[in-house]
Amino acid sequence: MNRVEQGRSLLRRWEAAKPTNFCDDDEHLRRTLAFRVGPARLAPVEALLHQAGGDSAGPVSRACALLDRPENLPRLEPWNGIGERTEEVVFHPAFHEVGRLVWRSRVLSLLGEPGNVALHTALAYLWTQNGEVPHGCPVACTAGLIKAIQRCGSDWMRREWLPRLLDPDYDRRWHGAQFLTEVQGGSDVGANACVARPIPGEPGAWRISGEKWFCSNVHADLSAVTARPEGAPGGTKGIGLFVVPRRLADGRPNGVFIRRLKQKLGTRTLPTAEVDFQDAVGYQLGGLEEGFRVMMGVIINTSRLGVALGSCGIMRRAWVEAFTYARVREAFGRRLIEFPAVREQLAEMRALGFAGLSSTLFLAALEDRLTLAGTHPEDDPLFRVGVTINKYICSVDGGLVVHHGIEILGGNGTIEDFSPLPRLYREMPVEESWEGPHNTMMAQILRDALRSKMHDALLGKAEDILLGIRHPVLKEMRDRAAAALADGRSRFGRVLRGDPEAAALHIRGLVHRMARIFQVSLLLEETEHDLAADRPTPLPAVAELFLNRYVVAGYDPMEDAGYGDLVGRVLAS
Ligand SMILES: Cc1cc2nc3c(=O)[nH]c(=O)nc-3n(C[C@H](O)[C@H](O)[C@H](O)COP(=O)(O)OP(=O)(O)OC[C@H]3O[C@@H](n4cnc5c(N)ncnc54)[C@H](O)[C@@H]3O)c2cc1C
């Protein structure tokens, strides 16, 4: 075989080495999920996870590459042939084929039973290894709407809408969207100018007018829309939450007019539009005064968890692509994985991916526990602060991990039809901006910290976990993590007591540390569980690398004679 043929045959070998099932190939997912939800809860859905893992790695992966081509993107057809406004978004047939597989996985129908958010999260994570899928955002929005209606919807909403939103049959199902953002600024929802006017004689029914600037999954059957009832106070206090059906009972548009679809950096297969509401009929969700709270606490928190799991899915895919590649591709007569610099990048990708999935599944399982105990999750300080911080850290890490993956694939990493990595890379800044860009969330965390020391809930949980770790192998790591925690806590306290502008300047650094401490405590907890079960696991090495690189201040790998060996242990399966 000549050199050219040999090079190409290695690429063929790479393609053949990629997993055919994203679930079966992901030991960390299966173990962490079993640890967080318990084997009894997991057993009935194992077959669903297996099926979704195979579909995601196979037909869905192929369809997502096809759908992202410019000629296959969704397009708007606002009028029909006889001049009536129809506001149709037209999709490539593969869009619906993927949707059928995603919906039949029961990723949404599972939410009909309380306590299934962690299982929903695991399924969604498998799908998002293809990025936006293109049903990642629709699944997250529909999940948020389901939970909001379960929480405070009227009897007829539960009767009429819930069964459709929970239907696993894609061709019958209804799906949801959520529209807050207006052109004058998305973060400042209190500046919303959309207006709601009551419809006389129809309690709970309103007419919504105004403009929304970013409307993803714009063709959804039901959209949760923020609007200010006429005469209501300014700021977020006066914001109500309404569910607006896309169509009237006779099939005509319900005063929801799409101006145009946006041309985006990433998530291009998902239609995101600018929309005019012109006296659209909307139905009040919950009491008017609790609208903003339900939107943020139920719907946006669900989407923030969705962004985190989506980022984890992308990190996992980037690792899979790069790891399989590095094991077969050769340069200078060596396989890439033999180069220490490549090994270190791969180890970092793996550690960040593990940490993200661990914190995301922890929070999903926490939501389940709170719901089953009859507590509203958003009233729990650990859940509230945890979801926000986790969305930040996972989406930041997602960009870095995909970037590493592209680098490991070299020039090939930048080529659209060579691997999914360019597409996944373009998705990451969009994920980061969704449901609050980082600085906006930092402002929220700072407000919560100043008002009620909410950050203590996260640090307290990390401390409890660390105190519970007893395994002799982990003692030294536990103590170093605990020292970092004590340091982080005292810095946080100092900053909060100081000048508010300085606090706003430093909050991101503090939150970053806090997120890492939280993640390492979860990794150590899982490691102890694996060690107790006496099974081979890369987790002790992953936890150690993570602790050294991201938690302990002043760690210098150059001063650590065991660093190369540690990197090797992280990469061992
Ligand atoms: C592809 C795409 C799809 C989207 N789909 C939807 C959707 O379906 N529904 C929807 O409602 N929205 C959607 N969004 C909007 C998204 O959630 C917003 O972009 C986001 O909430 C921020 O609003 P903004 O873009 O107006 O930024 P701005 O609010 O103008 O913020 C700009 C910058 O200022 C910073 N900033 C703002 N306030 C503060 C503060 N108090 N302290 C410190 N920094 C601050 C922000 O962090 C950011 O860095 C979508 C966005 C994109 C890119």
Side-chain angles (χ1 to χ4, degrees), residues 281-318:
V281 178
Y283 301 91
Q284 184 183 325
L285 190 52
L288 276 184
E289 64 298 337
E290 62 177 344
F292 180 70
R293 212 175 125 68
V294 173
M295 184 56 134
M296 296 308 291
V298 181
I299 294 179
I300 294 298
N301 274 344
T302 296
S303 291
R304 285 184 177 170
L305 205 57
V307 167
L309 73 87
S311 304
C312 292
I314 286 175
M315 284 194 269
R316 173 75 192 176
R317 184 65 180 274

Short mmCIF file of all heavy atoms in Angstrom, two decimals, residues 281-318:
data_model
loop_
_atom_site.label_atom_id
_atom_site.label_comp_id
_atom_site.label_asym_id
_atom_site.label_seq_id
_atom_site.Cartn_x
_atom_site.Cartn_y
_atom_site.Cartn_z
N VAL A 281 -54.66 35.70 20.42
CA VAL A 281 -55.36 35.24 21.62
C VAL A 281 -54.39 34.42 22.47
O VAL A 281 -53.78 33.46 21.97
CB VAL A 281 -56.59 34.38 21.25
CG1 VAL A 281 -57.29 33.88 22.51
CG2 VAL A 281 -57.55 35.19 20.37
N GLY A 282 -54.26 34.83 23.73
CA GLY A 282 -53.38 34.10 24.64
C GLY A 282 -54.12 33.78 25.93
O GLY A 282 -55.08 34.47 26.29
N TYR A 283 -53.70 32.73 26.59
CA TYR A 283 -54.38 32.30 27.81
C TYR A 283 -53.41 32.42 28.98
O TYR A 283 -52.29 31.88 28.93
CB TYR A 283 -54.90 30.87 27.66
CG TYR A 283 -55.86 30.77 26.50
CD1 TYR A 283 -55.41 30.45 25.22
CD2 TYR A 283 -57.21 31.07 26.67
CE1 TYR A 283 -56.28 30.41 24.14
CE2 TYR A 283 -58.09 31.04 25.59
CZ TYR A 283 -57.62 30.70 24.32
OH TYR A 283 -58.49 30.68 23.26
N GLN A 284 -53.89 33.09 30.00
CA GLN A 284 -53.07 33.35 31.18
C GLN A 284 -52.63 32.05 31.84
O GLN A 284 -53.45 31.16 32.05
CB GLN A 284 -53.95 34.16 32.10
CG GLN A 284 -53.35 34.65 33.34
CD GLN A 284 -54.43 35.37 34.14
OE1 GLN A 284 -55.33 36.03 33.58
NE2 GLN A 284 -54.36 35.22 35.44
N LEU A 285 -51.35 31.96 32.15
CA LEU A 285 -50.84 30.76 32.83
C LEU A 285 -50.56 31.13 34.28
O LEU A 285 -49.66 31.94 34.55
CB LEU A 285 -49.56 30.28 32.12
CG LEU A 285 -49.01 28.91 32.52
CD1 LEU A 285 -50.06 27.82 32.44
CD2 LEU A 285 -47.83 28.54 31.63
N GLY A 286 -51.33 30.60 35.20
CA GLY A 286 -51.18 30.95 36.62
C GLY A 286 -51.73 32.34 36.89
O GLY A 286 -52.31 32.98 36.02
N GLY A 287 -51.53 32.81 38.12
CA GLY A 287 -51.97 34.16 38.48
C GLY A 287 -51.10 35.18 37.76
O GLY A 287 -49.93 34.92 37.50
N LEU A 288 -51.70 36.35 37.43
CA LEU A 288 -50.93 37.36 36.70
C LEU A 288 -49.65 37.73 37.42
O LEU A 288 -48.60 37.90 36.82
CB LEU A 288 -51.78 38.62 36.52
CG LEU A 288 -52.75 38.66 35.35
CD1 LEU A 288 -53.42 40.01 35.28
CD2 LEU A 288 -52.03 38.33 34.04
N GLU A 289 -49.75 37.81 38.74
CA GLU A 289 -48.61 38.28 39.53
C GLU A 289 -47.49 37.24 39.60
O GLU A 289 -46.36 37.56 39.93
CB GLU A 289 -49.05 38.72 40.94
CG GLU A 289 -49.64 37.64 41.85
CD GLU A 289 -50.93 36.98 41.32
OE1 GLU A 289 -51.64 37.58 40.50
OE2 GLU A 289 -51.21 35.84 41.74
N GLU A 290 -47.80 35.98 39.28
CA GLU A 290 -46.74 34.96 39.35
C GLU A 290 -46.15 34.63 37.98
O GLU A 290 -45.33 33.73 37.84
CB GLU A 290 -47.23 33.69 40.05
CG GLU A 290 -48.37 32.99 39.36
CD GLU A 290 -48.81 31.68 40.03
OE1 GLU A 290 -48.06 31.13 40.86
OE2 GLU A 290 -49.91 31.23 39.71
N GLY A 291 -46.58 35.38 36.93
CA GLY A 291 -46.15 35.07 35.57
C GLY A 291 -44.64 35.04 35.41
O GLY A 291 -44.05 34.07 34.92
N PHE A 292 -43.99 36.09 35.85
CA PHE A 292 -42.55 36.19 35.66
C PHE A 292 -41.84 35.09 36.46
O PHE A 292 -40.88 34.46 36.00
CB PHE A 292 -42.05 37.58 36.11
CG PHE A 292 -40.58 37.75 35.95
CD1 PHE A 292 -40.01 37.84 34.69
CD2 PHE A 292 -39.75 37.82 37.06
CE1 PHE A 292 -38.64 37.98 34.53
CE2 PHE A 292 -38.37 37.97 36.91
CZ PHE A 292 -37.82 38.05 35.65
N ARG A 293 -42.35 34.85 37.65
CA ARG A 293 -41.74 33.82 38.52
C ARG A 293 -41.82 32.43 37.87
O ARG A 293 -40.86 31.67 37.87
CB ARG A 293 -42.52 33.81 39.84
CG ARG A 293 -41.74 33.47 41.03
CD ARG A 293 -42.61 33.61 42.27
NE ARG A 293 -42.60 32.36 43.02
CZ ARG A 293 -41.55 31.89 43.65
NH1 ARG A 293 -40.42 32.54 43.62
NH2 ARG A 293 -41.61 30.75 44.30
N VAL A 294 -42.97 32.12 37.29
CA VAL A 294 -43.12 30.81 36.65
C VAL A 294 -42.25 30.74 35.40
O VAL A 294 -41.60 29.73 35.12
CB VAL A 294 -44.61 30.54 36.30
CG1 VAL A 294 -44.76 29.26 35.47
CG2 VAL A 294 -45.43 30.42 37.57
N MET A 295 -42.21 31.84 34.65
CA MET A 295 -41.37 31.84 33.45
C MET A 295 -39.92 31.58 33.82
O MET A 295 -39.26 30.72 33.24
CB MET A 295 -41.50 33.20 32.73
CG MET A 295 -40.77 33.28 31.43
SD MET A 295 -41.24 31.98 30.25
CE MET A 295 -41.48 32.83 28.74
N MET A 296 -39.42 32.29 34.82
CA MET A 296 -38.01 32.14 35.17
C MET A 296 -37.77 30.83 35.94
O MET A 296 -36.83 30.09 35.65
CB MET A 296 -37.53 33.33 36.03
CG MET A 296 -37.57 34.66 35.32
SD MET A 296 -36.73 34.67 33.71
CE MET A 296 -35.03 34.49 34.17
N GLY A 297 -38.62 30.58 36.92
CA GLY A 297 -38.37 29.46 37.84
C GLY A 297 -38.64 28.10 37.22
O GLY A 297 -37.95 27.12 37.53
N VAL A 298 -39.64 28.01 36.36
CA VAL A 298 -40.00 26.71 35.79
C VAL A 298 -39.46 26.60 34.36
O VAL A 298 -38.69 25.69 34.04
CB VAL A 298 -41.54 26.50 35.81
CG1 VAL A 298 -41.88 25.14 35.24
CG2 VAL A 298 -42.08 26.65 37.23
N ILE A 299 -39.85 27.55 33.51
CA ILE A 299 -39.54 27.40 32.08
C ILE A 299 -38.06 27.69 31.81
O ILE A 299 -37.36 26.89 31.17
CB ILE A 299 -40.47 28.31 31.24
CG1 ILE A 299 -41.91 27.80 31.38
CG2 ILE A 299 -40.03 28.35 29.78
CD1 ILE A 299 -42.95 28.58 30.64
N ILE A 300 -37.56 28.79 32.32
CA ILE A 300 -36.15 29.14 32.03
C ILE A 300 -35.19 28.19 32.75
O ILE A 300 -34.17 27.79 32.20
CB ILE A 300 -35.87 30.62 32.37
CG1 ILE A 300 -36.67 31.52 31.45
CG2 ILE A 300 -34.37 30.94 32.25
CD1 ILE A 300 -36.36 31.40 29.96
N ASN A 301 -35.52 27.80 33.97
CA ASN A 301 -34.64 26.82 34.63
C ASN A 301 -34.58 25.51 33.86
O ASN A 301 -33.53 24.87 33.76
CB ASN A 301 -35.09 26.56 36.07
CG ASN A 301 -34.50 27.58 37.04
OD1 ASN A 301 -33.54 28.28 36.70
ND2 ASN A 301 -35.06 27.66 38.23
N THR A 302 -35.71 25.10 33.31
CA THR A 302 -35.72 23.88 32.49
C THR A 302 -34.82 24.06 31.28
O THR A 302 -34.03 23.18 30.92
CB THR A 302 -37.17 23.55 32.04
OG1 THR A 302 -37.94 23.28 33.21
CG2 THR A 302 -37.21 22.36 31.10
N SER A 303 -34.90 25.23 30.67
CA SER A 303 -34.05 25.46 29.49
C SER A 303 -32.59 25.59 29.87
O SER A 303 -31.70 25.22 29.10
CB SER A 303 -34.48 26.73 28.77
OG SER A 303 -35.72 26.51 28.17
N ARG A 304 -32.32 26.15 31.05
CA ARG A 304 -30.91 26.24 31.47
C ARG A 304 -30.34 24.83 31.69
O ARG A 304 -29.19 24.57 31.32
CB ARG A 304 -30.79 27.08 32.75
CG ARG A 304 -30.94 28.55 32.45
CD ARG A 304 -30.73 29.45 33.65
NE ARG A 304 -30.84 30.85 33.23
CZ ARG A 304 -30.91 31.88 34.04
NH1 ARG A 304 -30.85 31.70 35.35
NH2 ARG A 304 -31.01 33.10 33.56
N LEU A 305 -31.14 23.97 32.26
CA LEU A 305 -30.69 22.58 32.39
C LEU A 305 -30.51 21.99 30.99
O LEU A 305 -29.59 21.21 30.74
CB LEU A 305 -31.71 21.78 33.21
CG LEU A 305 -31.21 20.55 33.94
CD1 LEU A 305 -30.08 20.88 34.90
CD2 LEU A 305 -32.35 19.90 34.73
N GLY A 306 -31.40 22.39 30.07
CA GLY A 306 -31.30 21.92 28.68
C GLY A 306 -30.01 22.39 28.01
O GLY A 306 -29.38 21.64 27.27
N VAL A 307 -29.62 23.63 28.28
CA VAL A 307 -28.37 24.13 27.70
C VAL A 307 -27.19 23.33 28.27
O VAL A 307 -26.27 22.94 27.55
CB VAL A 307 -28.19 25.63 28.00
CG1 VAL A 307 -26.76 26.08 27.69
CG2 VAL A 307 -29.18 26.45 27.19
N ALA A 308 -27.24 23.07 29.56
CA ALA A 308 -26.14 22.33 30.20
C ALA A 308 -26.04 20.93 29.61
O ALA A 308 -24.96 20.47 29.22
CB ALA A 308 -26.34 22.26 31.71
N LEU A 309 -27.18 20.24 29.50
CA LEU A 309 -27.11 18.87 28.97
C LEU A 309 -26.72 18.89 27.50
O LEU A 309 -25.99 17.99 27.03
CB LEU A 309 -28.42 18.10 29.23
CG LEU A 309 -29.65 18.45 28.39
CD1 LEU A 309 -29.68 17.68 27.09
CD2 LEU A 309 -30.90 18.17 29.20
N GLY A 310 -27.17 19.92 26.78
CA GLY A 310 -26.78 20.04 25.37
C GLY A 310 -25.28 20.24 25.24
O GLY A 310 -24.62 19.67 24.37
N SER A 311 -24.72 21.07 26.12
CA SER A 311 -23.28 21.30 26.09
C SER A 311 -22.53 20.01 26.44
O SER A 311 -21.48 19.72 25.87
CB SER A 311 -22.90 22.40 27.09
OG SER A 311 -23.63 23.57 26.82
N CYS A 312 -23.08 19.25 27.37
CA CYS A 312 -22.44 17.96 27.74
C CYS A 312 -22.50 16.99 26.56
O CYS A 312 -21.54 16.25 26.30
CB CYS A 312 -23.14 17.33 28.95
SG CYS A 312 -22.89 18.26 30.46
N GLY A 313 -23.64 16.97 25.87
CA GLY A 313 -23.75 16.10 24.70
C GLY A 313 -22.70 16.47 23.65
O GLY A 313 -22.03 15.61 23.07
N ILE A 314 -22.53 17.77 23.45
CA ILE A 314 -21.54 18.24 22.47
C ILE A 314 -20.13 17.90 22.93
O ILE A 314 -19.29 17.48 22.13
CB ILE A 314 -21.75 19.76 22.22
CG1 ILE A 314 -23.02 19.95 21.37
CG2 ILE A 314 -20.54 20.39 21.55
CD1 ILE A 314 -23.43 21.39 21.14
N MET A 315 -19.87 18.05 24.23
CA MET A 315 -18.53 17.69 24.74
C MET A 315 -18.26 16.21 24.53
O MET A 315 -17.15 15.82 24.15
CB MET A 315 -18.41 18.03 26.24
CG MET A 315 -18.23 19.50 26.51
SD MET A 315 -17.69 19.83 28.20
CE MET A 315 -19.23 20.04 29.06
N ARG A 316 -19.26 15.40 24.78
CA ARG A 316 -19.07 13.95 24.62
C ARG A 316 -18.76 13.62 23.16
O ARG A 316 -17.87 12.83 22.86
CB ARG A 316 -20.34 13.22 25.08
CG ARG A 316 -20.34 11.74 24.80
CD ARG A 316 -19.44 10.98 25.75
NE ARG A 316 -19.23 9.61 25.29
CZ ARG A 316 -18.42 8.75 25.87
NH1 ARG A 316 -17.74 9.08 26.94
NH2 ARG A 316 -18.27 7.54 25.39
N ARG A 317 -19.50 14.24 22.24
CA ARG A 317 -19.29 13.93 20.82
C ARG A 317 -17.90 14.38 20.39
O ARG A 317 -17.20 13.68 19.64
CB ARG A 317 -20.36 14.63 19.98
CG ARG A 317 -20.29 14.29 18.50
CD ARG A 317 -20.58 12.80 18.28
NE ARG A 317 -20.52 12.42 16.89
CZ ARG A 317 -21.52 12.51 16.03
NH1 ARG A 317 -22.69 12.98 16.43
NH2 ARG A 317 -21.38 12.12 14.78
N ALA A 318 -17.48 15.55 20.89
CA ALA A 318 -16.16 16.06 20.51
C ALA A 318 -15.08 15.09 21.02
O ALA A 318 -14.12 14.78 20.30
CB ALA A 318 -15.94 17.45 21.10
#
